[in-house]
Amino acid sequence: MKDYIALATKGYYEWWRYLVGAFLIFIIWQIGTIPFVAAVMYKIATDGGDFSNVGNYETLMGTLDSNLTFFLMLLSFVIGLFGLWLIVRFFHNQKFKDLLTTRKKFDWKRVFFGFSIVGFFITVMTIIDYNINPDDYLWNLKWDQFFILAIIGIVMVPLQTSFEELYFRGYFMQGLGVIFKNRWLPLLVTSVGFGLLHLGNPEVGKVGNVIMVSYIGTGFLLGIMALMDEGLELSIGYHAGNNLITALLVTADWTAFQTESILLYTAEPSIGLDVLTPVLVIYPIYLLIMAKVYKWKNWKSKLFGKVELPDNEL
């Protein structure tokens, strides 16, 4: 079967299963935040601090060691990933591979390609900007802290991003596709939903709602990758590369990930072209490169066509 969405029909795919399953996965994911909140509360208690601001983002991010904070933040996604596996495997009776790809085996080369293309771009653009605007950066490299960050990042970030890809571009994409029997609605809903997931990020408070263009645009980019390539390998690799390289290379005091990165960005964030250029220029270039490498064809049918279900439809 070469239709990625239709792979859902190899398991139980009644609409109510996706409604219940999505809710259960979300609950398990949120349960995964308990260690982080508990650690923050314990630290505040031992320091004799005030619990009234424990729900404040700055309090959550600033109470613990930055590497411990980074680890505990990512841990919730790892627990969410385990919950997603449980639901897919035992509630839908679907092979987990069928949530990943239409190929006989998961294609790690595609993962590394997706990782490399965005990792290379972020690194090059950061180096260029650092040389053009050196006053906007502080050199922050502390080898002992960076080494711990690197270990945490290399292990945990791919799990975090894989959960997001499997939840949105996998579980929701397949579920909506087999329920509504088309491809455009899952692409639209999962892309907007992915953007709205980041609505609580500190970047939104700092820059404004205009940055949602970037988040939703990224959702469309990753969704198009999944539908055109009939699998999640490219989007998993891209998402991991984007988050990991950013976490290791540069951070700011207004970003979701505040890490012991090599550089600290100290300038005020700007809006306008900095938000629109990646979505309108860079993202299409990524897709054109991938289309050339993997010989994507039939864009209209793959992005807007119908989902053909087997005759034994439930």
Side-chain angles (χ1 to χ4, degrees):
M1 184 180 291
K2 293 185 179 181
D3 188 329
Y4 171 67
I5 289 178
L7 287 177
T9 62
K10 290 187 174 184
Y12 302 134
Y13 59 100
E14 300 97 331
W15 67 267
W16 62 267
R17 289 185 185 271
Y18 282 99
L19 185 64
V20 174
F23 176 74
L24 291 176
I25 293 167
F26 180 80
I27 293 300
I28 295 171
W29 175 20
Q30 296 312 301
I31 289 173
T33 65
I34 292 176
F36 181 30
V37 176
V40 171
M41 294 182 69
Y42 176 78
K43 184 66 165 60
I44 292 174
T46 56
D47 291 346
D50 183 6
F51 285 98
S52 61
N53 293 322
V54 72
N56 182 273
Y57 190 85
E58 286 74 18
T59 300
L60 288 173
M61 295 301 297
T63 300
L64 305 173
D65 170 81
S66 62
N67 280 331
L68 179 58
T69 297
F70 189 53
F71 172 80
L72 292 174
M73 284 181 63
L74 297 178
L75 181 62
S76 66
F77 294 90
V78 177
I79 293 173
L81 181 60
F82 176 68
L84 188 148
W85 175 81
L86 286 175
I87 295 299
V88 169
R89 189 67 190 89
F90 298 105
F91 190 57
H92 289 273
N93 196 32
Q94 181 183 4
K95 291 181 179 178
F96 200 63
K97 187 195 79 68
D98 289 337
L99 195 67
L100 289 164
T101 185
T102 57
R103 284 164 275 279
K104 292 182 179 180
K105 293 183 179 180
F106 187 73
D107 190 346
W108 286 101
K109 290 183 179 179
R110 276 176 156 82
V111 175
F112 293 133
F113 184 83
F115 184 100
S116 299
I117 193 172
V118 68
F120 176 79
F121 176 80
I122 291 173
T123 302
V124 170
M125 293 307 296
T126 302
I127 292 172
I128 291 173
D129 193 52
Y130 177 77
N131 283 277
I132 294 175
N133 303 298
D135 293 338
D136 290 348
Y137 295 87
L138 289 177
W139 190 259
N140 185 58
L141 182 60
K142 298 183 285 286
W143 280 108
D144 54 341
Q145 293 296 314
F146 181 78
F147 181 70
I148 296 172
L149 169 66
I151 293 175
I152 295 171
I154 291 169
V155 174
M156 301 289 283
V157 168
L159 296 174
Q160 174 242 329
T161 53
S162 292
F163 168 71
E164 292 188 13
E165 290 308 301
L166 286 161
Y167 195 33
F168 284 92
R169 258 67 62 181
Y171 192 78
F172 278 116
M173 184 83 80
Q174 288 188 346
L176 291 168
V178 296
I179 291 169
F180 293 99
K181 300 181 180 62
N182 65 55
R183 299 166 77 88
W184 67 266
L185 184 64
L187 175 61
L188 175 64
V189 172
T190 59
S191 300
V192 174
F194 178 77
L196 294 177
L197 174 69
H198 298 81
L199 193 58
N201 280 22
E203 294 95 331
V204 179
K206 185 71 174 181
V207 177
N209 289 332
V210 68
I211 200 173
M212 295 304 295
V213 172
S214 176
Y215 290 132
I216 294 174
T218 301
F220 274 104
L221 170 70
L222 295 168
I224 292 170
M225 287 182 194
L227 290 177
M228 290 303 303
D229 204 50
E230 300 291 2
L232 298 184
E233 292 98 332
L234 287 173
S235 65
I236 286 175
Y238 178 96
H239 201 161
N242 180 80
N243 286 24
L244 179 59
I245 299 302
T246 301
L248 296 178
L249 191 57
V250 60
T251 190
D253 61 8
W254 44 267
T255 59
F257 286 164
Q258 296 177 25
T259 64
E260 297 290 341
S261 56
I262 296 173
L263 296 170
L264 290 178
Y265 185 73
T266 58
E268 286 295 307
S270 58
I271 60 176
L273 291 179
D274 287 352
V275 174
L276 295 177
T277 300
V279 175
L280 299 179
V281 179
I282 306 303
Y283 288 1
I285 292 174
Y286 286 152
L287 291 174
L288 288 174
I289 293 173
M290 291 179 180
K292 182 69 174 179
V293 172
Y294 296 108
K295 298 178 173 58
W296 291 347
K297 298 178 180 179
N298 304 319
W299 287 71
K300 183 177 179 180
S301 63
K302 286 197 172 186
L303 297 181
F304 303 101
K306 294 182 179 180
V307 175
E308 300 294 336
L309 302 185
D311 295 334
N312 59 337
E313 180 181 346
L314 293 176

